[in-house]
Amino acid sequence: MIGLRFHFCFLVLCASLILPTQCLAHTCLPEDHVALFIFGDSLFDAGNNNYINTSTDYQANVWPYGKTFFKYPTGRPSDGRLIPDFIAEYAKLPLTPPYLHPGYHRYTDGANFASSGAGALDETRRGWVIDLNTQLKYFKNMETLLKRKLGEAQTKKLLSRAVYLFDIGNNDYLAPFATNSSLLLSYSHEEYVDMVIGNLTNVIKEIHKKGGRKFGFLSLAPLGFLPYTKALIPEKSEEITALVKRHNKALSHALQILASQLEGFKYSYTNLCSLLTERMNNPSKYGFKEGKMGCCGTGPYRGIPSCGGKRSLKEYELCGNASEYLFFDAAHPSERANQQLANLLWNGNLDVTWPHNLKALFENKYSEIN
């Protein structure tokens, strides 16, 4: 018995020497631990909208969502995992549940604040979604809880080592056309884009004040060519595309400015628009049989969002194999597409993501553009 006890203690001692940890109360974190905090819209929403008073138009908690991987609907608007789920896997983190999930409080690994339908502007689908400023408020609430658990110094260390992943803005440009809102009509395209970028920039600066240093961003998707747009508002495709181009250019420029202004600011920017457009136009090159039609929905391109039969239109069609489709429903990639995109975010070269990929941010290995 003494020999066994000595052997066990020796193993624990060796483990502690190999993997240094921060042990506080009941929480032990490796010294190189990097958390993942997720902000954004439906491309990243792991199910936060399950827990708010909203319309079924902004929820994905019905079958067949989740059918491929989880085998039940989690609230993710896809047949399986989303981009952040794969990024967490590559970073050796557990899948990040929605922040509003009542049973999840392990914020030392990160948190997902994203909300389907959300925009950078408070006015985008106000009252139905968790806008970006409210997501920031939730982040600050979480920081307070972490300070109680870890103490102020260790919380700041955790937040400074973390990666902050953003996908936001898509709904700011789609919603005004989809809902006949007059918001966009009140501004020039340039003024409107400046407002969206300005709101996002303010949130980034607030997170930076809390210690955040490493950020990942996606450009807008090719919104003018989604199955949703082509089915419901094809006459607006050209105007939406012009806004997407203006936004993506402005975001890239804004990030360069932030890198010159904010101490320690490192970022990864991935052109989602070009990656999806390439797959829409050449699906077979990437292993898809269909690049322009949704797997689940109805109407032209299955672009009318009826998947699951719980929205205003109850009838829907479902393809036989979601992995053969670039899009699972009217606007969201399939799990297979999400995995391909996540791989490019994680270890893509400078043709895909710049000035760093996410792997470099997690590993603190930076290679600057010459």
Side-chain angles (χ1 to χ4, degrees), residues 31-153:
E31 283 290 342
D32 60 351
H33 182 73
V34 180
L36 175 63
F37 296 105
I38 300 155
F39 300 80
D41 54 30
S42 54
L43 288 182
F44 284 3
D45 182 6
N48 278 306
N49 281 16
N50 293 352
Y51 305 101
I52 63 174
N53 185 18
T54 187
S55 163
T56 54
D57 290 340
Y58 311 122
Q59 293 177 320
N61 54 356
V62 295
W63 185 265
Y65 288 106
K67 67 186 289 290
T68 299
F69 180 78
F70 299 99
K71 310 302 181 186
Y72 70 95
T74 64
R76 291 168 172 83
S78 181
D79 59 303
R81 290 163 289 184
L82 306 180
I83 290 171
D85 295 320
F86 289 106
I87 298 302
E89 179 184 325
Y90 303 154
K92 295 180 173 55
L93 293 168
L95 297 188
T96 310
Y99 171 76
L100 294 181
H101 191 294
Y104 178 72
H105 303 288
R106 187 176 168 77
Y107 305 128
T108 49
D109 287 329
N112 186 326
F113 305 99
S115 169
S116 295
L121 300 178
D122 295 353
E123 295 83 358
T124 297
R125 299 197 172 105
R126 187 194 292 272
W128 297 103
V129 300
I130 309 165
D131 61 77
L132 185 59
N133 280 323
T134 302
Q135 293 180 34
L136 175 64
K137 176 185 170 185
Y138 288 162
F139 171 76
K140 290 179 177 179
N141 292 344
M142 180 210 66
E143 180 204 24
T144 301
L145 294 174
L146 281 172
K147 284 181 178 178
R148 291 177 191 162
K149 186 175 185 179
L150 302 178
E152 189 151 349

Side-chain angles (χ1 to χ4, degrees), residues 262-276:
L262 302 181
E263 179 187 356
F265 181 85
K266 301 288 184 183
Y267 72 94
S268 172
Y269 175 72
T270 304
N271 192 338
L272 176 67
C273 189
S274 65
L275 295 177
L276 280 178

